[in-house]
Amino acid sequence: NNSEINELYNEMKLAGYSCKEIKICPNRAGCIAKKVENGVLISATGADVGNLTLEDMVLITDRKENTIYYSGSKKPSTESIIAWELLKEKEVGACFIHCHCRKITYSEKSNYFTTKDYFMSENEEQIEEVKSIINKYGYVNLKLHGQIFIDKCYEIILGKIVNKYCEIDLESE
């Protein structure tokens, strides 16, 4: 349905623009996704999250082992496996932002919600570790690899990111 895709695209474009404006998705880093009726809509690999185009929207329809099945003119984000695994059981409308906030990534205050090792999205043990941390806190710090936040809308996620940044910033003064 074109009007539905346009509505989702406009929502994701605004969220991506916000990520770029608050400098948590520099250059072409990070991705955004949303649980939809028939899968997970995600930004394409290499997309500029802050300036998404309609062609940057890719629909993930399934995952079998390390193969992602999708439709779209571009390949889905390199973080498609973790986006799929975190969103597939969620309600339609659940949102996902993978960002790269340096202050959160490198703060010792983030240790309690940080993965043990550098995150490789095809590693099943790490996927389980990420799920566990996300289920507890609603977000996870991927060791040396940015963050993933999940919630029912992008506005809540962006608020959580800003709050986490400010909390770390205040503690470091």
Side-chain angles (χ1 to χ4, degrees):
N1 176 335
N2 279 351
S3 67
E4 183 183 20
I5 288 177
N6 282 336
E7 191 176 312
L8 291 170
Y9 163 66
N10 287 329
E11 177 185 355
M12 290 176 74
K13 182 175 174 68
L14 180 59
Y17 178 80
S18 299
C19 289
K20 188 82 164 204
E21 284 298 298
I22 62 174
K23 297 179 178 25
I24 58 170
C25 287
N27 304 319
R28 298 192 179 275
C31 68
I32 60 175
K34 186 172 187 87
K35 174 70 185 298
V36 294
E37 199 70 49
N38 49 350
V40 172
L41 194 61
I42 192 166
S43 53
T45 191
D48 179 352
V49 173
N51 191 24
L52 292 173
T53 66
L54 204 47
E55 291 74 38
D56 290 327
M57 301 289 97
V58 181
L59 180 66
I60 303 170
T61 55
D62 201 4
R63 173 191 178 210
K64 300 270 191 280
E65 295 180 13
N66 288 330
T67 302
I68 288 288
Y69 296 89
Y70 66 93
S71 62
S73 60
K74 295 183 178 181
K75 289 184 176 180
S77 169
T78 53
E79 302 306 336
S80 291
I81 291 174
I82 193 64
W84 174 262
E85 288 302 316
L86 292 173
L87 289 174
K88 70 180 183 183
E89 307 293 322
K90 299 282 185 201
E91 288 184 29
V92 168
C95 296
F96 167 109
I97 293 179
H98 168 53
C99 59
H100 291 265
C101 177
R102 293 181 57 80
K103 189 168 288 261
I104 298 172
T105 298
Y106 297 108
S107 172
E108 288 182 19
K109 307 285 185 197
S110 299
N111 286 348
Y112 72 94
F113 65 96
T114 300
T115 56
K116 292 189 300 283
D117 299 305
Y118 181 84
F119 180 73
M120 303 293 288
S121 71
E122 60 279 347
N123 181 316
E124 293 301 324
E125 282 180 29
Q126 285 187 310
I127 289 171
E128 291 309 310
E129 179 188 19
V130 167
K131 282 181 180 178
S132 172
I133 295 169
I134 284 254
N135 288 338
K136 189 170 184 180
Y137 300 107
Y139 48 84
V140 62
N141 192 42
L142 306 171
K143 186 172 187 171
L144 306 176
H145 189 101
Q147 301 73 42
I148 294 173
F149 288 77
I150 293 179
D151 216 306
K152 62 184 174 187
C153 68
Y154 292 117
E155 291 83 355
I156 291 173
I157 293 173
L158 290 163
K160 282 182 176 181
I161 294 168
V162 170
N163 284 341
K164 183 57 52 195
Y165 179 92
C166 292
E167 181 182 298
I168 288 168
D169 204 38
L170 287 171
E171 289 172 354
S172 63
E173 285 181 359

